Amino acid sequence: MCIRDRNMKGQVYSRPYTSYVKRCDEEARRLKYIEGECVKYHMPIHKSIEINDYIGLMGKMQEDRRKSGSTLLDEIEIGLKQLENFLRDQGRRYQEMKEKYTWLVEYKCVLQKAEEIKQKGLYQMPILNNLEETKAPLMTEQLEPGLKFTSISGVINTEDCNRFKKLIFRVCRG
């Protein structure tokens, strides 16, 4: 098939069907995104076996709606836009839930390790009798001269990471 451009002097963007071509390109991009999401989450995609079946189905859809082809394209655009926005929103929510789940698993591991340490008796908090003792620093020779930390575990916010590193440096070396 050979297509000849009979309007070579006119600009490409001023031709009558340029806007439809752009719209079709945008819808093709949306369909590709939706297909990618379906593949990503292992959702089945049912494809038509014969092109004639597909063309017949589209003709039947147009007859059922009793609207012109341009309004059918508008409806398809609206539907695909809504589906794309829905999938983006669901993907964002899935990522948030995944991050929260990971944080909870880490928190659970920290609590389990802390419980193991407590049960083994490796760490015992000194009993403080008055208010003045509570204001005293924790890392002094008053508590236990041989007290040493071999590991520190816990969960902190990423914003507090540098501050925590400075604190550990000061406690251990400063």
Side-chain angles (χ1 to χ4, degrees):
M1 184 172 166
C2 181
I3 299 174
R4 291 184 183 206
D5 188 5
R6 294 185 181 227
N7 191 8
M8 293 178 68
K9 293 181 182 178
Q11 292 184 355
V12 176
Y13 296 109
S14 64
R15 294 186 182 158
Y17 294 104
T18 303
S19 63
Y20 285 108
V21 171
K22 287 180 185 177
R23 288 170 65 187
C24 289
D25 286 343
E26 180 65 19
E27 297 317 306
R29 182 201 60 79
R30 284 189 177 126
L31 282 171
K32 193 169 186 172
Y33 172 76
I34 292 169
E35 182 182 18
E37 292 297 304
C38 288
V39 169
K40 182 179 175 181
Y41 294 111
H42 309 291
M43 295 178 66
I45 301 172
H46 304 289
K47 296 184 178 181
S48 180
I49 297 170
E50 293 285 329
I51 190 70
N52 294 331
D53 294 340
Y54 176 74
I55 291 172
L57 179 64
M58 291 303 293
K60 186 179 179 205
M61 279 177 52
Q62 192 171 355
E63 285 176 15
D64 289 345
R65 292 191 170 134
R66 300 181 203 281
K67 295 179 181 178
S68 69
S70 63
T71 58
L72 180 62
L73 181 60
D74 291 339
E75 289 178 17
I76 290 172
E77 267 185 323
I78 291 168
L80 287 176
K81 191 180 237 182
Q82 289 173 347
L83 187 58
E84 180 186 27
N85 290 338
F86 175 76
L87 287 174
R88 289 189 190 280
D89 185 47
Q90 291 299 314
R92 182 185 50 80
R93 288 182 184 185
Y94 174 74
Q95 289 300 325
E96 288 174 1
M97 288 178 63
K98 196 171 158 182
E99 290 173 7
K100 287 179 183 178
Y101 175 77
T102 305
W103 184 83
L104 288 173
V105 167
E106 290 175 359
Y107 190 66
K108 181 180 176 184
C109 289
V110 168
L111 289 175
Q112 287 174 344
K113 293 293 182 184
E115 186 178 358
E116 287 176 18
I117 290 172
K118 184 180 175 188
Q119 287 177 353
K120 289 179 183 177
L122 296 177
Y123 177 76
Q124 293 180 353
M125 189 70 177
I127 299 171
L128 303 174
N129 295 327
N130 59 22
L131 187 62
E132 291 172 6
E133 289 180 9
T134 59
K135 293 180 182 177
L138 292 175
M139 298 296 290
T140 61
E141 264 61 284
Q142 298 173 5
L143 298 177
E144 242 179 88
L147 180 66
K148 292 183 180 178
F149 289 104
T150 56
S151 62
I152 299 174
S153 63
V155 178
I156 60 171
N157 290 332
T158 53
E159 302 92 40
D160 299 333
C161 188
N162 287 333
R163 215 171 52 175
F164 183 72
K165 286 178 183 177
K166 288 178 184 178
L167 175 89
I168 295 299
F169 175 78
R170 289 179 186 145
V171 168
C172 297
R173 297 185 185 135

